[in-house]
Every structure is written in C-alpha cells, then in structure tokens.
Amino acid sequence: MNDRTGWRRISLVIAAAITLAQAPGAAADTTADRPAGSRPTSVAGTTDCGWGSASCTPCVNDVVTSVKTGLRERGDTMGFHLGAGVPAPQWSLTNLHDHWQGVQRLNADNGRWMAVSYDDTGDGPGGVGLVHLGSRAPAEPGGRLRSNRQGPLMAERQAPPPLDAVVGRIDSGRADLAHAGGMSALGDYLAVPFEGDAAESEVRVYSVADPSHPVLKSTVKRPATGAAGNVGWARLSDGRYLLAVGGRDSSPLDFYTSSSIDGEYTKVGAWQGSLPAYQNTNLVTDCATGGLYLLGSHKNWSGQDWLDAYTVDLSGSAPRLAKVANRHLTCTQVDERQCDFAAGGGAYVSAAGELFFYATEHDDDGPGGTVKLAEFRTNRSHPRTCGTDQNSAWVELYEHSGFGGRSVIIDFADRNAEDYGFYPATEAFNDKASSARWCLPPGTTHQLFADGRFAGSSTVLSGIGEDADLAASPGLRGWGDKISSSRY
C-alpha cells in the first residue's frame, strides 16, 4: 500500500481524507509467475488446529456470519504505554505516512500479548512494538481481554494500567525499509512485511514464542517489488503454508507457498483485481467447509470503518477472490474515537473459534501519551451452560431491543473496576438498556436498579437468560430505558 498516494477527493472532510493515506512503496510486481509444478494440490485451510498450537491458528465458526453480524458493533476501549525504544508515530497533516500500521494478538502468556507495527519514514527503520498486557486475565485461553481503561473516569479519559506497555521491539535495521505494514500471526510466529524507499520489499518471519525476545527465522525477498503493505497467512489442510502479500493499496495480491512455516516461500500466482486500500489483511479458515477467506480492514471516503471478507480460490490457473460479506464497525465510544481502521488493525481467533478484531489509532494521543486500542469481540449469544466459576459471570445490556446497538458488559471479574452504581459515568449508559443477556453461575445474582446508587425499584437476574425487549417482553417488562445502576 502507499501512504504517498495523494488525496483524490479534496472536497471531502479533511479528517476523513487523512485517514485513507497508506504506506510508501514503489509499483508492485504484476506477474503471476507460477513455477511449473507448483500449482497447489490443496486449497483448503486446516480445521484441526487447537488454540495455542505453535504453527497454526484455529478455524472460525462461520466466517461470513461472524463478519456480517457476529462482531460487536463497538469495540471495548483498551490502550497501552510506549516503551522499549519504540518511537511514537508522528502522524499529522504534514506527515501522513508516519503511524501505527498493523495489530496482531499473540498467544503467549494466555493471549496477553500484542504486536503493533509502525512506519518511521524520515527518522529510522520501520518496526514492531511488542506489548505485554500484564493487567489482563482472560477467563478462557485466548478469550476476551476486556477493557483495561475502566475506573473513576469516563473511558476516553482513563489511562491503561502501567503494566500494559511495550516491552519488546523488532525493527527492519534499514532506513529504506521504514514501513512495517499489516502483519499476520500463526501460532508462535509473526509475519511482518517491510517496504520503503528501497527497490525491493520483504516479509520477515519471526518466532514470538517469547515476544520479549523475538527471533528472526526466515525472510521472503521480493526483488524489484517495492511494495509490501500487508500480509495474510494460513496453514493449508495438506500442511503447507500460504502467504498473501498486498502491493500498493493491497493490489496485486501475490501468493506464496512453503512446506514449513519458516522455510522458503515460492510465488505461485497473483490476483490482479481492485481492492480498497486495506491497511491490514488476514487469512482465516471456515470450520465447517475449510474454505479460505481474506479479511481486510479500511476506512471509506465518508469516514466509516469497514471489515470486508472475500473467498479465496486457488484451484484454477490464477487466484480468484470474491467479496461475500462486510460490516460497518464503529471506533467511537461515547464521543471520542478509540481506533481507526486506516491505522492499525488485525483479526484474531479464540480457542472457541470466535472471531475478534483489534484496531488502534494513528499515534499516541491517548490519556497521558498512551496509545488507544479497541477490542471488537464476538457478540455474546445466549449461553447454553454457565459453569460454576463465579469469576466467569457476566451481564450484558444492549442499547436497542433484539441485542443491537451499543452494549455494556458487566463482568464479575471487573465488578469493582468501574462505577456501576452510577450509569451516567459507565459509558454514558444511563436509562439506555433495551435488551439483556446474562450468565450467572449458581450462587451468583445481579441486581438492576431504576435509580443511581442502588436506589429505586429493583429486579434480580440469576442463572442463564436473555430478554430481547425490556419494555414489552414478559421477563423484565417495564425495564426498557430504565436501568441506572446495578451490582453483583
């Protein structure tokens, strides 16, 4: 992709146009030079990878539905502190290319690590900050991290804990490879594309089993191809590995295969079609069909953040992509942007096969010079079982009937992290709830109050339940747009 691509529609709102700037790079190689005998014999992704495997990623339960309706519309607010010598990108009207470029959640320490890539054009090599979210405690392997910006202040003014910070660094070592683009992670490995003023680009494969000490394992050279803005990565059902490397504005997409995750990759074809200027792409596999999908995130001309999904077909003489789903997601929480799909983003798959998406802002304008981040998690469906661990209890309140719009999830583990006694300070959710879902293990209840500070009329939730319309349905009739506080 190309941050030096000029504004094509100056008449639009300046803020919307700025966010579409993409990373620097020369024109991409447009040949589909599939070597003789290298045509893939299998084009399905692997569906038997368990979470935490060293060299693959779990499949997604119904990729199309996960993108269309499965993700929560708004992300949970997160953030991290800078460190380990990682420079803060200086993104501005006069410096459109210098910003965070990609986000990948890593499996180490129960999924409490993030890799965030950046462009440092004009100052030094591009690179990756390795973030340890030490304050997080996922309830299940690879599960929700949950907001780390809860406290006495509204989320947009709340800084993350000092434990959540950059503690490791990767850089290209070359000033002419100043842009590290949209990345992909597989198990304990991370693929990072580098481009810049050099005539060539490359994709480097690192072991991040210990993210604080990444180890370079192999490099995919792209001679005479200056652009490598993003990379998708997957393991195929026959054990081979597939890389999809995006050129200028993500096109063309060059496909490579290898017999090992950190081995030699051979180019097997290129897709020549037109795509939006994706900052990030990921390859994921559908659990039911083994089908491969390309996920791409971008921001359109009107300032909306979108996640798109394409089927990937490598069975013919040339790769084929077909768009099958998209979703408008919202980075604004209350009244301030917490992320931007024209900056860094990336998909992740949990142990349960749930699709997550993470996105960051352009630079470090979070509270106290921190970096803002958002976790778009799978919308909680009505649970069939609830377990017995009290710490796994949760209640989710939705802005609209039918479980739509904004939502507030009140986890037992975070019951003291935010002021749930005064919903105006809880994501401005006072008198907003119109539907609800809950999962409360035996012995755990959650009490809803009509007034703040646990006053006024009340009702008690217990067990497993949902109510699609708090104003009219029998379960909690009369509670629509009425809840002002609650407690376990």
Side-chain angles (χ1 to χ4, degrees):
M1 61 183 73
N2 188 353
D3 272 327
R4 292 174 180 168
T5 300
W7 294 351
R8 289 172 285 182
R9 295 176 63 185
I10 301 298
S11 61
L12 293 175
V13 178
I14 290 177
I18 291 170
T19 57
L20 290 169
Q22 305 293 319
D29 176 9
T30 59
T31 60
D33 51 352
R34 185 193 299 276
S38 66
R39 179 173 170 177
T41 58
S42 171
V43 291
T46 184
T47 59
D48 59 357
C49 180
W51 185 89
S53 296
S55 58
C56 59
T57 296
C59 57
V60 176
N61 294 321
D62 194 342
V63 173
V64 172
T65 299
S66 293
V67 172
K68 281 185 175 180
T69 61
L71 287 170
R72 187 175 180 235
E73 179 185 338
R74 295 174 189 264
D76 290 325
T77 54
M78 300 188 68
F80 60 88
H81 296 262
L82 291 168
V86 171
Q90 300 301 308
W91 185 80
S92 67
L93 282 171
T94 58
N95 190 4
L96 299 176
H97 51 72
D98 195 357
H99 61 85
W100 300 111
Q101 296 284 330
V103 180
Q104 284 290 274
R105 184 176 171 188
L106 307 177
N107 286 343
D109 193 16
N110 202 29
R112 298 199 298 170
W113 284 84
M114 291 277 185
V116 187
S117 56
Y118 58 88
D119 182 308
D120 203 21
T121 298
D123 299 304
V128 179
L130 294 154
V131 181
H132 188 223
L133 297 168
S135 75
R136 302 295 79 214
E140 60 276 334
R144 292 184 305 119
L145 288 167
R146 309 190 315 276
S147 173
N148 65 347
R149 291 171 59 194
Q150 296 178 305
L153 305 176
M154 293 290 283
E156 65 266 31
R157 296 189 292 274
Q158 186 75 39
L163 279 175
D164 300 339
V166 178
V167 298
R169 180 183 181 184
I170 292 169
D171 70 55
S172 71
R174 294 172 51 178
D176 61 352
L177 293 178
H179 174 268
M183 306 168 289
S184 280
L186 279 184
D188 292 339
Y189 292 83
L190 181 69
V192 185
F194 288 100
E195 63 179 8
D197 294 329
E200 75 280 356
S201 58
E202 55 191 47
V203 177
R204 297 183 187 176
V205 175
Y206 295 87
S207 169
V208 286
D210 176 3
S212 62
H213 297 91
V215 178
L216 178 63
K217 304 297 289 187
S218 64
T219 301
V220 182
K221 297 286 189 179
R222 289 165 55 82
T225 304
N230 49 61
V231 58
W233 206 11
R235 191 172 80 177
L236 301 177
S237 59
D238 64 5
R240 291 177 305 127
Y241 291 85
L242 178 71
L243 275 176
V245 185
R248 182 190 298 267
D249 288 346
S250 307
S251 184
L253 281 175
D254 292 329
F255 288 89
Y256 300 78
T257 59
S258 174
S259 60
S260 62
I261 192 169
D262 56 357
E264 181 178 351
Y265 282 80
T266 301
K267 188 176 175 183
V268 296
W271 185 74
Q272 305 291 338
S274 176
L275 292 173
Y278 291 133
Q279 280 291 109
N280 308 274
T281 55
N282 290 103
L283 289 173
V284 295
T285 299
D286 188 274
C287 291
T289 67
L292 285 170
Y293 290 80
L294 180 86
L295 305 182
S297 57
H298 72 112
K299 188 171 182 177
N300 67 12
W301 287 114
S302 63
Q304 296 177 331
D305 300 294
W306 285 87
L307 179 64
D308 299 338
Y310 298 78
T311 56
V312 179
D313 184 357
L314 301 179
S315 62
S317 59
R320 290 175 291 182
L321 269 66
K323 190 173 181 178
V324 293
N326 64 358
R327 179 74 184 280
H328 173 211
L329 299 173
T330 303
C331 277
T332 300
Q333 189 63 277
V334 185
D335 60 357
E336 183 176 312
R337 267 193 169 270
Q338 302 300 323
C339 62
D340 195 315
F341 283 21
Y348 180 79
V349 186
S350 74
E354 296 175 327
L355 180 66
F356 289 68
F357 192 81
Y358 294 91
T360 186
E361 59 174 342
H362 282 88
D363 45 27
D364 60 338
D365 68 351
T370 60
V371 179
K372 291 181 289 188
L373 180 71
E375 178 180 67
F376 292 87
R377 54 177 169 79
T378 295
N379 202 5
R380 288 265 168 152
S381 60
H382 184 231
R384 291 184 293 274
T385 60
C386 205
T388 59
D389 183 2
Q390 188 177 44
N391 284 311
S392 68
W394 57 268
V395 172
E396 186 157 17
L397 305 176
Y398 298 83
E399 180 181 18
H400 302 317
S401 60
F403 317 111
R406 282 201 301 140
S407 71
V408 169
I409 189 163
I410 307 163
D411 292 286
F412 184 85
D414 294 330
R415 63 195 181 281
N416 297 320
E418 202 161 347
D419 187 1
Y420 295 111
F422 189 62
Y423 272 25
T426 304
E427 301 182 30
F429 215 72
N430 187 53
D431 293 339
K432 296 287 187 184
S434 297
S435 55
R437 284 178 170 140
W438 59 92
C439 181
L440 299 163
T444 305
T445 60
H446 194 80
Q447 191 170 10
L448 308 175
F449 294 86
D451 298 332
R453 300 306 173 200
F454 317 118
S457 58
S458 68
T459 189
V460 176
L461 306 179
S462 62
I464 300 168
E466 66 176 9
D467 195 310
D469 189 345
L470 298 181
S473 61
L476 292 169
R477 188 187 300 275
W479 280 90
D481 297 334
K482 189 176 179 180
I483 301 168
S484 297
S485 60
S486 69
R487 65 186 175 192
Y488 284 96

